[in-house]
Amino acid sequence: AQKVTQAQTEISVVEKEDVTLDCVYETRDTTYYLFWYKQPPSGELVFLIRRNSFDEQNEISGRYSWNFQKSTSSFNFTITASQVVDSAVYFCARRDTGRRALTFGSGTRLQVQP
Amino acid sequence: SAVISQKPSRDICQRGTSLTIQCQVDSQVTMMFWYRQQPGQSLTLIATANQGSEATYESGFVIDKFPISRPNLTFSTLTVSNMSPEDSSIYLCSVGDGQFNEQFFGPGTRLTVL
């Protein structure tokens, strides 16, 4: 099976620190989509971003930014000036064109201490 | 984005019983998916709920244990049959947009089996 790997199980930072969550994926397809989701303690899954394989431009949305590098099959997520409300489990996921469902990484638990 | 609701939001059930989880979407969608998230784990796809035909199950999941209905384009049910404590999980319904470039999740059903 083609995997999505989030090697960081848990990260703890102090508020206002920057933090990067790593995601490495495997795929044999030339066309695919990558996603990031946030799961706060309440349990719902919040969609953050989708990136397709054609578009390697980095994206910034407020304090969030994403770095997509096809050469290293990575799609890393950076939170700048972290806040306590950023504490959650973050999942990276992949969808291939021939398959409508998502393959998820194991998740990274981020704890932001005040 | 689609608005997805699930019922019940949580339940505590006895071993050997069955629970049916409902997923309602506020717009018509082609495919709906059911995922399971075991405690402290990532999300695993159970099946794709196809309207008008039998659901497509992933390896390790069978129809007798997880029967799925999809009577129309806005509604699906997942039944967890003959439950055991190992079935204690969050069960999430998911839908995609028209091009499946975005995928959204319901709030989940938190199931505890005693």
Side-chain angles (χ1 to χ4, degrees):
Chain A
Q2 298 175 76
K3 297 179 184 176
V4 177
T5 301
Q6 294 180 255
Q8 303 151 308
T9 306
E10 187 159 346
I11 301 175
S12 183
V13 299
V14 177
E15 219 173 7
K16 297 184 183 175
E17 283 186 29
D18 298 347
V19 57
T20 296
L21 310 182
D22 297 334
C23 175
V24 175
Y25 60 92
E26 297 175 1
T27 184
R28 289 185 284 270
D29 293 347
T30 54
T31 304
Y32 51 90
Y33 298 86
L34 301 168
F35 300 76
W36 276 95
Y37 289 87
K38 174 182 180 180
Q39 189 175 44
S42 53
E44 78 273 20
L45 215 58
V46 178
F47 168 82
L48 295 178
I49 191 173
R50 183 259 312 163
R51 173 66 71 202
N52 70 48
S53 54
F54 309 123
D55 184 1
E56 287 193 72
Q57 274 195 323
N58 292 331
E59 180 150 342
I60 299 174
S61 176
R63 295 184 298 108
Y64 295 170
S65 62
W66 290 269
N67 185 321
F68 178 30
Q69 301 264 356
K70 282 179 79 170
S71 60
T72 56
S73 297
S74 66
F75 186 42
N76 297 336
F77 172 33
T78 297
I79 302 175
T80 302
S82 59
Q83 300 176 0
V84 172
V85 294
D86 296 327
S87 297
V89 179
Y90 290 86
F91 290 99
C92 180
R94 189 198 76 242
R95 181 176 75 78
D96 301 324
T97 47
R99 179 175 160 81
R100 300 291 180 91
L102 301 180
T103 300
F104 282 85
S106 55
T108 297
R109 181 178 299 278
L110 174 65
Q111 299 263 25
V112 182
Q113 309 288 346
Chain B
S1 63
V3 177
I4 307 169
S5 59
Q6 285 185 234
K7 288 182 183 178
S9 58
R10 58 178 63 228
D11 207 343
I12 301 173
C13 300
Q14 296 297 319
R15 180 196 297 262
T17 63
S18 297
L19 176 72
T20 295
I21 302 167
Q22 299 179 5
C23 176
Q24 179 75 54
V25 190
D26 68 342
S27 58
Q28 293 187 340
V29 292
T30 306
M31 288 189 189
M32 297 169 76
F33 307 97
W34 287 98
Y35 289 81
R36 180 177 74 180
Q37 186 179 23
Q38 294 177 298
Q41 303 296 312
S42 185
L43 285 80
T44 301
L45 180 67
I46 297 172
T48 302
N50 304 309
Q51 196 269 331
S53 62
E54 200 169 274
T56 306
Y57 289 84
E58 297 297 301
S59 175
F61 297 95
V62 295
I63 188 171
D64 290 345
K65 176 68 177 177
F66 297 102
I68 288 171
S69 79
R70 180 85 193 274
N72 57 52
L73 292 176
T74 62
F75 186 79
S76 177
T77 67
L78 168 75
T79 299
V80 186
S81 302
N82 188 24
M83 289 183 285
S84 67
E86 292 70 37
D87 294 320
S88 297
S89 297
I90 300 174
Y91 292 86
L92 297 108
C93 171
S94 175
V95 304
D97 70 354
Q99 296 300 317
F100 287 89
N101 291 331
E102 318 294 346
Q103 292 215 349
F104 302 100
F105 286 80
T109 296
R110 194 178 294 268
L111 171 63
T112 302
V113 184
L114 302 178

